[in-house]
């Protein structure tokens, strides 16, 4: 599972110091490469000893997507407009 190398979405409940601490995230809603695991919460969560990984990707049109699994060596997540998006997304 590829690592979430950088997460620039500071207000995500799983983000601590630009590091994702969700054990695994899901990317995409079928058409858009957003981080479906993103949400805000009054306190931070996740496993502080772990760095998040991509558990599933539902954007089949991405160059890195093989069988709904991300094959990129790592991804970057950032806030674009009102969503947390996978910046590693590359259209086929």
């Amino acid at each position: 599972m590829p690592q979430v190398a950088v997460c620039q979405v500071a207000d995500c409940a799983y983000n601590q110091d630009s590091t994702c601490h969700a054990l695994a995230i899901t990317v995409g809603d079928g058409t858009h490469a957003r981080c479906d695991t993103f949400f805000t919460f009054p306190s931070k969560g996740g496993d502080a000893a772990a760095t998040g990984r991509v558990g599933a990707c539902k954007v089949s049109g991405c160059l890195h997507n093989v069988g709904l699994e991300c094959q990129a060596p790592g991804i970057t997540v950032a806030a674009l407009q009102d969503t947390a998006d996978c910046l590693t997304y590359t259209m086929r």
Side-chain angles (χ1 to χ4, degrees), residues 4-72:
V4 179
V6 176
C7 180
Q8 300 172 353
V9 188
D11 61 338
C12 180
Y14 290 110
N15 185 323
Q16 296 179 42
D17 300 319
S18 296
T19 302
C20 177
H21 293 286
L23 293 178
I25 69 166
T26 298
V27 174
D29 61 4
T31 58
H32 187 85
R34 68 177 49 121
C35 176
D36 283 354
T37 310
F38 163 77
F39 77 104
T40 58
F41 196 72
S43 61
K44 297 295 184 176
D47 182 347
T51 299
R53 298 195 174 265
V54 180
C57 180
K58 299 184 282 183
V59 186
S60 61
C62 180
L63 178 69
H64 303 291
N65 188 316
V66 176
L68 302 178
E69 300 291 335
C70 181
Q71 302 299 311

